[in-house]
Every structure is written in C-alpha cells, then in structure tokens.
Amino acid sequence: MTIEDRDDAYLITHALAKATLSRLRDVETEQVAFRKGLVKLGRICGYEIIDGAMETEYVPVETPLAETTGERVTGLDDVVIINVLRAATPFVEGLLKAFPRAKQGIISAGRDEEAGMNEDGEFPITIDYVKLPDITDHDTVIVADPMLATGSTMSAVLDHVLSEADGFENLFVLSAVSAPDGLIRVGNAVPEADLLTVAIDDRLDEDGFIVPGLGDAGDRAFRTT
C-alpha cells in the first residue's frame, strides 16, 4: 500500500507521484510540462484511491483457452469529482483517466488576496459559481485542488458540497501539496473527510503561500504570471 496515515492526513507515497511532484516544484518547469505534470499526478492519485479505498469482486472470465476467475473494481460508476476552479482543471483531467465515468461538479472559489490573512490564518473566500451533480449515499466524492494552504478555500467548498450531498460512501479531499495549518483547519471543520496529499510541506509564509510549495499552480498551468 502506498498511502500512509500521517495523523492529520493520508500521504500518497507512490514513487511516480513523488517524482512527478518534484518536477512540478522545479521553477524551470514551463507551462506545458507543468500542465502535463498535473494531469499525470491526478491520474496516479486516482489509481491510488482505487487501490486504497475501492472494493473488488470476483468475476468469471473466458480466455481464448479456458474459463478462469478474474477481479473487477466495484463502485467506479459511483464517483463524483469536484473541480475547484481553476488550478484543479488539469489535476481533474488526470483523475478522469482513472474514473472516466465519474459525475463532475464545479465550484469556482478563490481567496481575497488583497484582504490578506486574518489573525486566525484565514482568508475571506468568494464563491462565484457552483454546479454539482446529485450526490447519493453510494457515491465516493473526491474534491480536488492541487494546493491546500490555509484551508480557507477548501472549507468553504466543502460547506457547499455537504449542503447538497444526500450522504456519501467516502469523501476525499485530494491535493498535491498541503500545509500543516490547512490540514488541521479542514480536518477540524469536516472530520468526515479523508485528506489525501502527495506532500505535507513545512509551513505557510506571511502571505499564506505554501513553503517550499510549487508556486501558484493556476498561474503556472495557465501562464497568467
């Protein structure tokens, strides 16, 4: 198993995930390679969720030579992936390679950088758009955002998800890089969520950015710097 329990989160330790993240961190990685890296990382994380959280069942298989028994993953049609715009778009593209039949939701959310962090380490969050599919108690819900920094954005997003969910089988918050403060905030706010990340970084700087981090994932993916 390449998912480790680190108390505040579950850490995805697959070698390809770590190698891909290292490439994403590199300041020399340009836009196209950065986007492709996020897609690749999303696909790897999706496969890790399948391996770590989804069940299989035995099924008969007829090969060209004989009948045998195989396995198939159950629940792949009962997955909801929620894209936190905009940085998560390529990350979700990769997840969809693992879950091609997933229902998709979109929440456009962003923190007010000009207002800055308050004394509790939180940002004001603006939600501009929400479109979610029906979420049932059979569904595995994956809320994806490459960066989990202060946790302010994710907490606001999860409020909307929980208000519209009619129960769920599993709830995952998936990120590439997380800060300890954000993991604690989201974990306290939504204890029923399993927090998955490829890296838990050292800290937040005074502007609320993850250090060492990988910069602004949205700006690097969409070349808006």
Side-chain angles (χ1 to χ4, degrees):
M1 178 68 67
T2 52
I3 298 179
E4 296 180 0
D5 188 349
R6 294 293 181 88
D7 293 330
D8 293 327
Y10 291 95
L11 193 65
I12 295 172
T13 61
H14 193 289
L16 281 176
K18 294 191 290 185
T20 303
L21 178 59
S22 295
R23 180 62 173 154
L24 290 170
R25 289 190 192 273
D26 192 336
V27 70
E28 298 297 328
T29 300
E30 49 78 41
Q31 179 206 9
V32 174
F34 190 87
R35 282 183 59 87
K36 287 183 176 180
L38 278 178
V39 174
K40 181 178 181 179
L41 190 60
R43 183 179 74 248
I44 295 167
C45 290
Y47 291 151
E48 289 298 283
I49 291 172
I50 291 172
D51 186 53
M54 306 196 82
E55 297 181 354
T56 62
E57 63 182 3
Y58 292 107
V59 293
V61 177
E62 187 74 35
T63 80
L65 300 178
E67 184 173 290
T68 187
T69 299
E71 287 184 78
R72 70 178 179 188
V73 180
T74 61
L76 289 178
D77 289 344
D78 300 317
V79 175
V80 178
I81 298 175
I82 298 172
N83 181 346
V84 182
L85 292 179
R86 65 181 168 152
T89 299
F91 200 38
V92 166
E93 182 181 341
L95 281 169
L96 289 170
K97 295 180 184 299
F99 302 103
R101 290 180 55 82
K103 295 179 284 187
Q104 295 181 61
I106 292 174
I107 298 181
S108 176
R111 63 191 193 182
D112 187 343
E113 301 285 0
E114 292 186 3
M117 287 191 296
N118 64 22
E119 59 183 15
D120 294 323
E122 296 178 293
F123 280 88
I125 302 301
T126 300
I127 303 287
D128 295 315
Y129 180 78
V130 177
K131 183 65 175 179
L132 299 178
D134 290 335
I135 299 172
T136 74
D137 57 4
H138 298 294
D139 287 327
T140 291
V141 181
I142 306 169
V143 184
D145 195 350
M147 310 293 287
L148 179 59
T150 68
S152 303
T153 300
M154 184 56 70
S155 295
V157 166
L158 290 172
D159 282 344
H160 283 273
V161 173
L162 294 175
S163 69
E164 298 201 23
D166 188 22
F168 41 77
E169 183 73 21
N170 300 292
L171 174 61
F172 294 106
V173 171
L174 176 65
S175 59
V177 177
S178 300
D181 291 1
L183 292 172
I184 292 171
R185 176 167 287 111
V186 175
N188 288 338
V190 189
E192 61 266 48
D194 288 324
L195 310 184
L196 292 175
T197 187
V198 182
I200 302 173
D201 277 10
D202 298 339
R203 60 184 176 86
L204 296 172
D205 67 14
E206 62 275 9
D207 296 315
F209 290 101
I210 302 173
V211 179
L214 48 79
D216 188 306
D219 284 343
R220 294 187 68 187
F222 295 97
R223 215 173 80 181
T224 50
T225 54

